[in-house]
Amino acid sequence: MDKQPGGLPDPGSADDLAEFIGLLGELRAWAGSPSYRSLAQRVGPLMRPPRTVSPFTVVDAFKTERRRLDLDLVVAIVRALGADEPTVGRWRETCIKVHSLAKTGGPVGVFRQLPSDLATFTGRREELSRLIAAAKQHRDADHPNTVVISAIEGMAGVGKTQLAIHIAHELVRAGHFADIQLHVNLRGFDPELPPADPSAVLEAFLRQLGVPAQQIPASQDERAGMYRDRLRDRNALILLDNAADEEQVRDLFPASPSCLVLVTSRRSLAGIEGADLCRLDVFTSDEAIAMLARIVGPDRVEAERPIAEQIVQACGHVPLAISIAAARLRSRPAWKLADLARLLRGGVGALAFGGRALTPVFDLSYLGLPKPARRLFRLCGWHPGDDFTADSAAAAAGCAVEEAEQLLELLLDEHLLQQRESGRYEFHDLVRAYARGLAEPEQSALARVATWYVLTAQDANHLLEQPPIEAEIEQTYGVESLSLTTYEEALAWFDIEYGNLRAVIDTAAEHKLYALVWRLAASLHSLRGLRYRMTEYTRFVELGLDSARIAGDPLGEAWMLHGLARASRDEERLEETESYLLQIIELCRLNQAPAMMWRQTVALNNLSVVYNILRRYDDAVASLEEALRICPEDRRTRMECSMVSNIAAAHFYRGDHAKAVEFFRHAQALYQQAGDRRGVVASWGDIGLSSLRLADHDGAFEAFTTYLKGAREIDSLVFQGLAHLGLGDTLADTNRIGEARAAWKEAESILAGIGHRNAEVARERLATGRVEPYTVS
């Protein structure tokens, strides 16, 4: 349609009543799409004489299937939409003209029912290309036998309607479906009116197809049959916008293969058999910037490009949100883009302007949900992680996993959730913000989620052969952990959920769930050994230590001090390590519970390692003797493994590497008997280093090769990096420098990737070619 200066639609371009009504709708869009209710309130005082006007009366004036309009009502609507008096006069004249043409048999245009194509339509090249190609290919086929149905679905505000309208216009402009174009807004999600009755839609379509009112059947089935008959062999395009569900549109499909149906809905339309489904996502960054520039002007956007990117990011790349934000900016010529960016920091509620807002659009989807789905939607909005599974969602809601899965699938069908990986659900940022705005977080729901993570992490650590936390968590919620059965499943769970675990720890601390905070931090101990991640591990352990002390929990305090001791030991800050271990020992001496006795035993054993490195051998022996004296009977097997390994380390640091190899092999046998795969693998690294110091290159090469194989089997990146480092040293000692450099390069890549301190050792090897000794684990 033609436009006047300033973007106003030109009523003079209308050839018939339907086009005039379409332009009236475009005028409403130009004015910011005020709701029919608010427009009715404005129109009433402008009528002659003034009177109360029903919203339904105003709605009827925008229906393109109408045969006549009330001239006074049209004039009042145009005035209420903000047009000046000369413009009002042009609308009055055109309204009289199109009514006259209709009475005298002039161009009626009953088949040209498409809404106007927006001048601001942007992007969607891939979707346009695919859907248009599907329509054309079908029409060019030699023997088409079914009607083409393209269903466009997606979240609220993502631009489904505008894409469908643009596709329809592109096809018609190219000469396809030139006979008939029918359009209806099915009001599947209308704030003021119920969904359109398919029978009433069929009646309107039949009237537009020239069927006299008295000949239209009464029943929906008969109307559908007549509709299909009238469209037989006609080149027709039917646009069914905003469908509530598949049932609403089923009888509106013609049967002729010469027809095309475009359906849009914010609900899944997968139930339409044979339909070409197009799930519309938000804009790409480039598309979002292009739309902003098209509305507010490219010069304005390019002048503040970084701020423009912040704006579209705040809008979540959602077309409707960008349109609302851009309309506000366009109306404020004195504003800089930074002014709008500051406004948008107010969240989803700030996306409102000129009668349009994002929150009411989301309301329509949310309020249509059954009550259990609404509750789960709100609770999942406060889930600490970036995504979640049915199991963790069930923990949040306190319901069965099967029920949570059904509700999550419903939310997925309603496009209130997204799914990028099978079994995992996530929010679009704006939808998450909307969900959180519906209610404050429930403390009990957060506690249930954190408990689920603690219990599952404990089970995973057991499968990873890590020592359990001695004190069971107080189970007041009836939460069940995820069922994990193998080492590989446990490590994969930690890898997938690591980001969520971090978020859960921070959220639990924020909400003072202290007993859960330190247990969550303790659960990451196995990842420290397998994936390193030392900086984050230390932060979480410090957070856990604060929580344990606030809660007055000595066992939690001992566990967290142990974590800090291990972290400082890995970074070779031995004085700190000694201090942490001595604090544990003193704490345990004041609390003689069985669990604390074991913590004291572990601390004394680890203290002996520190003393060996510091060459305080008498202190090391004394610590081992005391550890053995107080070790609980049910833990002696595990402690014996560790003690023998520490004795081996003592020989290593004293320079008796032959004895070190002997005791490391003895420790390895004990680890094997105890079923501790990690201990067995770690021992190969220690045997390799000791053998290398003895210049036993064959023994070192065999040990490091076995170390690497075992590290891969247990999927330890730390051990893999150290094994490559040891292999490189062994190869360099035997003058195989090319192979050594390849091994060092691999070591540097792995160790740098996890932030391990020995990445620098590998870099020095690559730079100098010299082998400098480093210590056993």
Side-chain angles (χ1 to χ4, degrees):
M1 297 295 180
D2 293 337
K3 298 285 173 67
Q4 294 176 296
L8 273 168
D10 180 10
S13 64
D15 291 328
D16 55 37
L17 186 59
E19 288 189 359
F20 178 83
I21 295 172
L23 286 167
L24 191 63
E26 193 170 339
L27 181 68
R28 176 172 170 258
W30 170 86
S33 297
S35 70
Y36 293 117
R37 190 178 304 280
S38 66
L39 189 55
Q41 292 172 349
R42 298 184 212 169
V43 165
L46 299 175
M47 296 290 287
R48 296 294 181 266
R51 58 181 179 271
T52 299
V53 174
S54 164
F56 296 102
T57 301
V58 175
V59 168
D60 286 341
F62 288 89
K63 292 181 177 179
T64 53
E65 64 268 23
R66 290 186 61 85
R67 296 296 184 180
R68 64 177 300 278
L69 289 171
D70 183 322
L71 180 59
D72 290 340
L73 179 62
V74 169
V75 170
I77 288 173
V78 172
R79 282 199 177 102
L81 291 174
D84 58 24
E85 285 309 308
T87 302
V88 171
R90 283 194 295 275
W91 282 89
R92 181 197 297 273
E93 291 172 5
T94 305
C95 186
I96 294 171
K97 181 191 77 171
V98 294
H99 275 89
S100 175
L101 287 170
K103 290 178 181 178
T104 59
V108 293
V110 295
F111 297 149
R112 297 197 296 273
Q113 295 293 313
L114 295 178
S116 299
D117 196 8
L118 282 186
T120 55
F121 183 86
T122 305
R124 305 300 191 191
R125 290 183 178 179
E126 183 180 341
E127 294 87 351
L128 280 168
S129 177
R130 180 167 70 83
L131 292 171
I132 290 176
K136 289 181 178 180
Q137 181 181 15
H138 184 84
R139 286 184 53 74
D140 294 341
D142 293 333
H143 302 290
N145 53 23
T146 58
V147 63
V148 179
I149 303 172
S150 292
I152 303 170
E153 60 183 62
M155 65 179 281
V158 82
K160 302 177 293 294
T161 296
Q162 294 310 320
L163 175 61
I165 291 171
H166 192 72
I167 289 171
H169 279 284
E170 287 284 299
L171 287 167
V172 172
R173 280 193 287 267
H176 300 291
F177 310 107
D179 290 354
I180 300 169
Q181 301 102 45
L182 300 175
H183 162 259
V184 64
N185 178 3
L186 293 170
R187 302 194 306 267
F189 302 86
D190 192 289
E192 298 170 344
L193 298 169
D197 180 358
S199 183
V201 173
L202 284 167
E203 179 182 12
F205 278 175
L206 288 171
R207 291 285 298 274
Q208 291 160 18
L209 292 168
V211 179
Q214 61 272 23
Q215 295 180 16
I216 295 176
S219 76
Q220 182 171 320
D221 287 344
E222 289 177 311
R223 289 178 178 183
M226 180 179 284
Y227 168 70
R228 289 191 293 270
D229 180 69
R230 288 295 173 125
L231 291 179
R232 183 182 302 146
D233 300 326
R234 304 295 297 275
N235 293 318
L237 187 154
I238 296 90
L239 175 51
L240 307 175
D241 188 27
N242 201 17
D245 51 35
E246 296 98 332
E247 286 304 313
Q248 188 187 28
V249 297
R250 210 172 296 281
D251 279 343
L252 305 181
F253 298 154
S256 176
S258 60
C259 298
L260 170 69
V261 180
L262 296 173
V263 191
T264 74
S265 180
R266 65 178 64 179
R267 191 168 279 155
S268 174
L269 297 172
I272 300 178
E273 187 176 352
D276 182 8
L277 294 181
C278 175
R279 293 182 175 88
L280 202 59
D281 204 346
V282 298
F283 274 157
T284 64
S285 180
D286 287 343
E287 287 175 330
I289 291 289
M291 183 177 193
L292 184 67
R294 183 162 289 188
I295 297 173
V296 305
D299 293 342
R300 206 170 172 187
V301 168
E302 285 306 315
E304 297 181 77
R305 179 65 184 239
I307 305 300
E309 291 174 354
Q310 292 178 24
I311 288 171
V312 297
Q313 184 66 37
C315 293
H317 293 172
V318 175
L320 177 59
I322 297 168
S323 174
I324 293 171
R328 179 185 288 271
L329 187 60
R330 184 181 61 185
S331 72
R332 304 288 192 274
W335 276 17
K336 292 186 177 298
L337 267 65
D339 295 317
L340 176 61
R342 280 193 294 272
L343 178 71
L344 294 180
R345 290 173 193 156
V348 68
L351 287 164
F353 178 69
R356 291 195 300 167
L358 201 59
T359 298
V361 174
F362 289 154
D363 283 342
L364 296 174
S365 293
Y366 169 74
L367 294 173
L369 296 171
K371 187 175 180 180
R374 292 201 299 270
R375 178 173 180 267
L376 188 66
F377 178 75
R378 294 193 304 272
L379 292 176
C380 287
W382 287 102
H383 191 291
D386 290 334
D387 63 1
F388 45 89
T389 63
D391 295 87
S392 59
C399 67
V401 174
E402 294 77 11
E403 180 184 355
E405 190 166 27
Q406 291 174 0
L407 295 175
L408 290 170
E409 288 297 313
L410 172 61
L411 294 174
L412 196 63
D413 287 341
E414 298 289 325
H415 294 284
L416 288 168
L417 287 179
Q418 301 172 341
Q419 192 170 61
R420 303 183 192 280
E421 184 181 342
S422 178
R424 303 194 72 83
Y425 304 86
E426 61 186 273
F427 283 98
H428 182 276
D429 289 346
L430 290 182
V431 180
R432 181 192 291 273
Y434 169 78
R436 289 187 170 186
L438 294 170
E440 290 298 312
E442 292 185 17
Q443 186 85 349
S444 59
L446 293 174
R448 286 193 298 268
V449 169
T451 299
W452 182 83
Y453 275 100
V454 167
L455 296 175
T456 304
Q458 286 181 353
D459 291 348
N461 275 314
H462 175 71
L463 291 167
L464 294 175
E465 299 153 16
Q466 294 297 308
I469 299 174
E470 290 82 1
E472 292 293 328
I473 185 172
E474 184 180 351
Q475 254 285 40
T476 59
Y477 303 109
V479 176
E480 295 185 5
S481 64
L482 183 66
S483 177
L484 301 169
T485 57
T486 67
Y487 180 101
E488 291 73 21
E489 285 180 356
L491 186 53
W493 182 82
F494 267 124
D495 282 340
I496 292 170
E497 292 286 353
Y498 180 67
N500 286 347
L501 277 164
R502 292 182 305 174
V504 171
I505 292 174
D506 285 331
T507 302
E510 179 185 347
H511 289 270
K512 302 179 181 180
L513 302 172
Y514 300 123
L516 294 166
V517 174
W518 77 258
R519 284 174 170 83
L520 285 163
S523 74
L524 297 177
H525 183 71
S526 59
L527 280 193
R528 182 210 59 78
L530 295 167
R531 296 291 186 263
Y532 205 64
R533 291 171 174 158
M534 192 55 66
T535 301
E536 291 180 314
Y537 174 73
T538 302
R539 182 175 80 81
F540 291 133
V541 170
E542 289 172 343
L543 196 60
L545 180 60
D546 290 341
S547 295
R549 284 172 171 169
I550 292 171
D553 188 335
L555 179 60
E557 188 175 351
W559 259 93
M560 295 300 93
L561 287 168
H562 176 77
L564 291 175
R566 185 73 234 197
S568 60
R569 161 71 180 87
D570 283 347
E571 296 293 329
E572 297 186 332
R573 301 191 305 272
L574 299 180
E575 291 77 9
E576 285 184 36
T577 308
E578 180 186 13
S579 173
Y580 289 132
L581 293 172
L582 290 174
Q583 287 180 60
I584 296 172
I585 293 167
E586 180 62 26
L587 183 67
C588 293
R589 284 171 177 162
L590 296 174
N591 298 271
Q592 292 293 306
M596 297 296 288
M597 292 292 290
W598 173 243
R599 286 291 102 206
Q600 184 178 354
T601 304
V602 172
L604 286 163
N605 185 43
N606 291 338
L607 191 59
S608 72
V609 178
V610 175
Y611 288 152
N612 273 324
I613 299 173
L614 295 174
R615 301 185 183 278
R616 293 165 55 182
Y617 303 122
D618 292 342
D619 289 337
V621 171
S623 293
L624 281 174
E625 288 176 345
E626 186 178 358
L628 188 61
R629 180 179 60 80
I630 67 171
C631 180
E633 285 297 326
D634 61 341
R635 300 295 184 94
R636 282 189 174 272
T637 299
R638 176 177 287 276
M639 182 51 63
E640 185 180 10
C641 295
S642 183
M643 284 181 170
V644 172
S645 183
N646 287 345
I647 292 170
H651 287 298
F652 180 92
Y653 290 117
R654 286 182 171 124
D656 190 348
H657 298 114
K659 275 286 187 185
V661 170
E662 177 187 341
F663 275 90
F664 278 132
R665 289 192 182 278
H666 180 36
Q668 187 177 62
L670 294 174
Y671 281 126
Q672 189 77 47
Q673 292 173 17
D676 187 338
R677 284 198 295 172
R678 187 179 182 279
V680 171
V681 174
S683 296
W684 280 117
D686 295 332
I687 292 168
L689 282 174
S690 301
S691 299
L692 191 57
R693 297 291 179 88
L694 288 169
D696 178 8
H697 296 117
D698 290 340
F701 189 81
E702 178 188 8
F704 285 129
T705 300
T706 310
Y707 186 28
L708 180 58
K709 180 183 177 183
R712 287 170 174 163
E713 288 175 352
I714 67 171
D715 200 8
S716 169
L717 297 177
V718 177
F719 290 172
Q720 288 178 49
L722 295 177
H724 281 293
L725 187 60
L727 282 170
D729 290 355
T730 305
L731 290 164
D733 258 17
T734 54
N735 294 318
R736 296 158 68 179
I737 301 302
E739 294 173 80
R741 291 185 65 81
W744 289 336
K745 188 173 182 180
E746 188 67 23
E748 194 278 335
S749 175
I750 294 173
L751 296 174
I754 58 176
H756 197 282
R757 60 186 170 86
N758 278 349
E760 183 58 34
V761 173
R763 279 192 285 270
E764 289 176 3
R765 301 279 202 273
L766 288 167
T768 66
R770 293 196 303 272
V771 176
E772 301 293 339
Y774 62 99
T775 59
V776 296
S777 58

